[in-house]
């Protein structure tokens, strides 16, 4: 398969050092402390405070409120409710039938292609390790050694709920604590292994084409990853594994294609892993291509 990703132009030898200096603040910042403050600030319900936050944000990022279920931005009880707003029915129709893979989120393609020798492309010159991404589990990594991946970056202006690309039954989740580097294009081009270093939730589903992983990657000021089956996840602590099939597992969870599976309280990144011999990605997909929830992401190979 042609990975169809593009990369930044070649730079002079001194440019990498300049780029690293520009993100020095990312290494020095107290990620979790700042994110904890953001979590509290975005849930303040005093009208004078939350309305000012929301007005500024709508103007700054050009948020389209016409497709929101509640189009009045000041009607939301706090900033986080506004940020994680739902959309009007039909605003994001799901394309095709069960043999079509639906885009799970609004955003832009950060990278896409095939997992090669246990590594995924992050940006030109930067790869990250599949096993580390999946919680340092050899068994988990083995399931996705020959997989096709898509990474979608959600900017602040985007719709921040994540939907199912295919119908599936949840097999397991693993919450992995970590750093909270920004996932903006500037930092993904500079910080090595960023997606395998940041806090993340790996959700693995059994589907008609085999195991599919939907990975929610946290970032600076992302004040919580959330799923429809377990609610808001705690920050920090230890790796938490949960199994949803078999004796002693959690209650079974089955979600249909296009159904909401989670959300970001502030923006971040979604990484998808599919069996490479069962999925052909849409020809229109390429680096930095804009995408919307429910659009064509790929087709199932019979």
């Amino acid at each position: 398969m042609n990975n169809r990703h593009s990369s930044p132009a070649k730079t002079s030898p001194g440019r990498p050092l300049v780029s690293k200096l520009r993100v020095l603040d990312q290494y020095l910042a107290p990620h979790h402390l700042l994110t904890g403050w953001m979590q509290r600030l975005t849930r303040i319900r005093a009208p004078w405070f939350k309305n000012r936050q929301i007005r500024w944000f709508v103007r700054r990022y050009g948020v389209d409120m016409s497709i929101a279920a509640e189009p009045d931005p000041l009607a939301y009880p706090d900033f986080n409710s506004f940020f994680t707003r739902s959309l009007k029915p039909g605003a994001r129709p799901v394309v095709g039938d069960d043999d079509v893979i639906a885009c799970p989120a609004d955003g832009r393609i950060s990278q896409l292609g095939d997992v090669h020798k246990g590594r995924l492309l992050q940006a030109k010159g930067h790869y990250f390790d599949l096993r580390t991404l999946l919680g340092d589990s050899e068994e988990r990594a083995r399931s996705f050694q020959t997989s096709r991946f898509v990474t979608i970056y959600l900017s602040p202006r985007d719709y921040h709920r994540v939907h199912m690309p295919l119908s599936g039954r949840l097999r397991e989740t693993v919450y992995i604590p970590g750093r909270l580097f920004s996932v903006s294009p500037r930092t993904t081009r500079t910080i090595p292994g960023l997606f395998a270093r940041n806090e993340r939730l790996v959700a693995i589903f059994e589907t008609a084409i085999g195991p599919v992983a939907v990975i929610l990657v946290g970032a600076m000021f992302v004040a919580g990853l959330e799923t429809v089956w377990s609610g808001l996840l705690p920050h920090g602590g230890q790796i938490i594994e949960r199994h949803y099939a078999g004796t002693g597992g959690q209650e079974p969870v089955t979600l249909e294609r296009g159904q909401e599976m989670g959300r970001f309280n502030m923006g971040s990144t979604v990484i998808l892993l599919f069996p490479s011999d069962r999925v052909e990605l849409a020809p229109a997909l390429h680096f930095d291509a804009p995408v919307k929830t429910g659009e064509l992401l790929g087709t199932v190979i019979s």
Side-chain angles (χ1 to χ4, degrees):
M1 175 194 171
N2 181 358
N3 287 355
R4 300 191 303 278
H5 49 65
S6 59
S7 301
K10 291 183 179 180
T11 57
S12 63
R15 188 65 180 271
L17 177 59
V18 173
S19 298
K20 289 179 181 179
L21 290 174
R22 286 177 178 171
V23 295
L24 181 61
D25 61 318
Q26 291 288 320
Y27 288 96
L28 299 178
H31 293 179
H32 289 277
L33 177 62
L34 292 174
T35 300
W37 286 349
M38 180 63 73
Q39 185 174 34
R40 290 189 287 273
L41 289 172
T42 56
R43 287 161 175 77
I44 292 175
R45 297 198 165 196
W48 68 269
F49 185 82
K50 62 96 176 176
N51 288 348
R52 185 173 182 177
Q53 282 183 308
I54 293 171
R55 284 195 188 101
W56 175 86
F57 194 90
V58 171
R59 288 195 305 269
R60 172 67 176 81
Y61 293 105
V63 178
D64 181 8
M65 294 301 297
S66 68
I67 59 173
E70 173 49 76
D72 178 5
L74 304 187
Y76 294 90
D78 54 39
F79 182 88
N80 190 66
S81 299
F82 153 75
F83 193 85
T84 58
R85 62 195 175 276
S86 60
L87 302 182
K88 291 178 179 177
R92 292 289 184 267
V94 181
V95 67
D97 299 315
D98 290 342
D99 61 345
V100 174
I101 299 167
C103 184
D106 286 17
R108 286 186 174 273
I109 299 295
S110 175
Q111 293 293 344
L112 74 164
D114 293 329
V115 174
H116 181 63
K117 295 183 178 180
R119 299 197 305 166
L120 293 79
L121 181 65
Q122 175 178 299
K124 182 179 180 180
H126 290 296
Y127 290 82
F128 58 101
D129 182 64
L130 174 69
R131 175 171 170 168
T132 305
L133 176 71
L134 299 177
D136 202 27
S137 165
E138 183 63 39
E139 180 180 355
R140 241 176 258 123
R142 194 179 303 117
S143 298
F144 294 100
Q145 282 293 330
T146 56
S147 59
R148 195 147 285 162
F149 77 93
V150 180
T151 304
I152 301 172
Y153 166 65
L154 289 73
S155 73
R157 66 171 296 175
D158 289 319
Y159 168 63
H160 282 88
R161 299 192 182 196
V162 181
H163 295 250
M164 291 291 291
L166 289 166
S167 299
R169 179 175 58 85
L170 184 62
R171 187 177 83 189
E172 64 175 314
T173 63
V174 53
Y175 165 77
I176 305 151
R179 298 298 301 272
L180 291 171
F181 291 112
S182 164
V183 291
S184 70
R186 179 175 68 108
T187 52
T188 56
R189 289 193 300 264
T190 308
I191 297 178
L194 188 152
F195 297 131
R197 298 168 72 176
N198 270 17
E199 176 185 72
R200 57 205 177 276
L201 176 77
V202 178
I204 299 176
F205 294 88
E206 290 294 346
T207 75
I209 65 170
V212 170
V214 182
I215 304 165
L216 308 183
V217 183
M220 183 79 79
F221 300 138
V222 176
L225 306 174
E226 191 169 342
T227 67
V228 297
W229 58 84
S230 63
L232 188 65
L233 301 174
H235 278 301
Q238 299 179 334
I239 290 178
I240 301 173
E241 298 182 11
R242 289 179 177 159
H243 298 270
Y244 291 80
T247 305
Q250 304 288 319
E251 288 295 319
V253 175
T254 301
L255 299 174
E256 299 300 318
R257 189 176 68 101
Q259 186 175 349
E260 182 185 346
M261 62 80 62
R263 67 186 68 171
F264 292 108
N265 297 277
M266 299 300 283
S268 195
T269 292
V270 179
I271 301 173
L272 304 171
L273 297 173
F274 302 104
S276 60
D277 60 345
R278 297 301 311 276
V279 170
E280 183 66 37
L281 296 179
L285 295 184
H286 57 83
F287 169 76
D288 206 37
V291 292
K292 292 183 179 177
T293 305
E295 289 182 342
L296 175 67
L297 197 73
T299 53
V300 173
I301 300 173
S302 300

